[in-house]
Amino acid sequence: MSILSDWEIKALSLGDKLIEPFVDHVVKEENGHKILSYGLGSYGYDIRLSPTKCLIFGTPSRGDCDPKKFNPEILKETELKEDESGKYFIIPPYGYALCVAHERLSLPEDITVIPAGKSSYARSGIHCNITPAEGGWEGYLTLQINNATGLFNRIYANEGIIQLLFFRGKSCMVSYKDRKGKYQDQPKDVVYSKV
């Protein structure tokens, strides 16, 4: 298994629509303002946080969080705010949020994606716990974001949130798409846990 380089990611994105929308360079500034970078890097692609939705795990007075019977009532939507730094959501101290990626992925059967956090966020106490997307998967990634600090923390919409690393392996016998994986074709919305 080998990691894909920039030219391979670009070729797959322009030909097979691996990433949509696709930006073929690193964007570090927009409208004269520095931003958290997104776009094509040397060996990966930094995706953006969509401004459409950010759901925070609340503090229910009773009950529990069950991945087999997920109750969306334990989540509360947080407001998209804006100031001179950009558009952002606030994650409360030690909070955990579900958000969605701006870009859509369409993975060939021999490509698997491993998401990794961005250093600027990690140094601010933001950890992104994203699971791999297997060959054949399509859709918008649901992003799991944790604020590991005792402070309120910002995550910026329309700016880089996670780096994706693409790996090519030998063709599998049954792809995620073939086995009709439960998270296939995720919409541009938060998708809850399923069994």
Side-chain angles (χ1 to χ4, degrees):
M1 187 170 266
S2 62
I3 191 168
L4 298 187
S5 64
D6 50 5
W7 65 269
E8 292 171 297
I9 296 167
K10 181 176 180 177
L12 285 168
S13 294
L14 296 177
D16 297 329
K17 308 295 184 199
L18 177 72
I19 303 166
E20 288 187 290
F22 176 75
V23 178
D24 69 357
H25 60 283
V26 174
V27 178
K28 297 180 182 179
E29 187 176 304
E30 286 183 339
N31 302 319
H33 293 90
K34 290 185 177 183
I35 63 168
L36 293 155
S37 62
Y38 67 88
L40 182 63
S42 301
Y43 287 95
Y45 191 93
D46 289 11
I47 59 172
R48 292 171 278 180
L49 175 68
S50 171
T52 57
K53 190 176 283 185
C54 181
L55 302 173
I56 305 291
F57 279 74
T59 53
S61 58
R62 59 188 172 91
D64 57 11
C65 183
D66 185 347
K68 291 184 176 182
K69 299 176 195 166
F70 193 86
N71 179 2
E73 292 179 15
I74 64 173
L75 300 170
K76 59 182 178 177
E77 194 159 353
T78 185
E79 176 186 352
L80 181 66
K81 300 177 180 281
E82 184 174 9
D83 64 14
E84 67 281 351
S85 294
K87 294 181 180 180
Y88 61 93
F89 295 107
I90 294 282
I91 308 292
Y94 307 111
Y96 194 76
L98 298 177
C99 305
V100 66
H102 175 70
E103 291 82 359
R104 185 178 194 285
L105 301 179
S106 183
L107 301 178
E109 291 186 2
D110 63 342
I111 304 289
T112 288
V113 169
I114 306 290
K118 288 180 62 70
S119 60
S120 295
Y121 274 125
R123 293 165 200 231
S124 299
I126 292 292
H127 297 226
C128 298
N129 176 27
I130 313 303
T131 55
E134 293 184 12
W137 185 85
E138 294 182 19
Y140 293 90
L141 290 170
T142 293
L143 311 176
Q144 300 92 36
I145 301 171
N146 177 43
N147 177 5
T149 74
L151 306 169
F152 288 88
N153 218 323
R154 293 183 181 200
I155 54 172
Y156 285 91
N158 300 314
E159 297 187 27
I161 188 76
I162 290 169
Q163 182 181 31
L164 300 179
L165 303 174
F166 297 85
F167 293 89
R168 176 174 275 134
K170 294 181 180 179
S171 294
C172 54
M173 291 189 314
V174 180
S175 72
Y176 192 86
K177 184 176 186 175
D178 293 338
R179 73 172 184 267
K180 297 176 177 42
K182 61 188 171 187
Y183 298 113
Q184 183 71 322
D185 295 318
Q186 288 185 169
K188 194 170 190 175
D189 199 359
V190 170
V191 175
Y192 309 123
S193 63
K194 304 176 184 179
V195 177

